[in-house]
Amino acid sequence: MSWTVTPEPPDSPAAVALWRAYYTEVSDRWYLLHEGRRTDPAELEREIAAPTGDELRPPQGALLVARWAGELAGTAGVRLLEPGTAELTRVFVRDALRGRGGGPALVRAAEEAARALGAARVVLDTRHDLVEARALYARLGYAETAPHNDDVYAEHWFAKALA
């Protein structure tokens, strides 16, 4: 069995399903940690619908969808923030398929997409409680940096020069 990673429009059925799974997980984790509850269903629906994903469309970005042996498995997005710098976002692998190399496959594919967009550097942000994500980025050569944005949920910022 193997991973495939291909670009897809952010509004494709696969991308929409994975965005829902991603947002549900990270939202629930935040609320459980900070308020001892899961995300309110009405809030979840509003937040899932809010971002259009247009920044992840060519020519300024790309959304990548991973499949494991043909099964819908995960996503990664990349978008140009400024000439030469791309942001990695929406990195997600479904829980049932974690530990099989999907995260590294997605990040490497996103780095290739960033290069194709003209980026020489990739930046990203993540939260403190997403320890798996932070460990993945460190393993793949990302180093913690000063903040590059003021996202209310961002607690750690990383960067990597693309060779």
Side-chain angles (χ1 to χ4, degrees):
M1 294 197 204
S2 64
W3 289 97
T4 59
V5 180
T6 56
E8 291 210 19
D11 57 356
S12 74
V16 169
L18 288 165
W19 171 240
R20 174 176 287 283
Y22 166 84
Y23 191 81
T24 300
E25 179 175 332
V26 297
S27 181
D28 279 352
R29 283 176 72 161
W30 192 90
Y31 278 112
L32 286 168
L33 179 65
H34 296 282
E35 297 183 12
R37 66 173 179 90
R38 294 196 179 281
T39 310
D40 175 83
E43 178 187 18
L44 182 66
E45 293 307 317
R46 277 193 314 275
E47 293 301 318
I48 287 172
T52 63
D54 284 343
E55 73 279 6
L56 302 178
R57 292 182 190 276
Q60 296 298 314
L63 180 70
L64 305 167
V65 170
R67 289 176 172 79
W68 168 255
E71 181 181 349
L72 199 56
T75 64
V78 64
R79 66 183 178 137
L80 283 178
L81 291 180
E82 58 188 47
T85 301
E87 180 181 39
L88 180 63
T89 185
R90 293 194 191 188
V91 177
F92 172 72
V93 175
R94 288 182 35 237
D95 189 45
L97 297 170
R98 291 180 186 155
R100 300 178 189 193
L106 278 161
V107 172
R108 287 187 187 108
E111 291 171 354
E112 287 301 316
R115 282 185 192 91
L117 293 169
R121 179 173 89 113
V122 174
V123 297
L124 64 93
D125 67 66
T126 191
R127 296 189 331 228
H128 187 71
D129 63 306
L130 300 176
V131 293
E132 308 92 339
R134 292 183 7 246
L136 170 67
Y137 301 135
R139 272 195 321 273
L140 296 177
Y142 287 79
E144 285 212 51
T145 65
H148 66 269
N149 64 25
D150 59 0
D151 185 311
V152 66
Y153 296 108
E155 298 169 310
H156 295 269
W157 294 263
F158 289 82
K160 179 181 178 179
L162 298 176

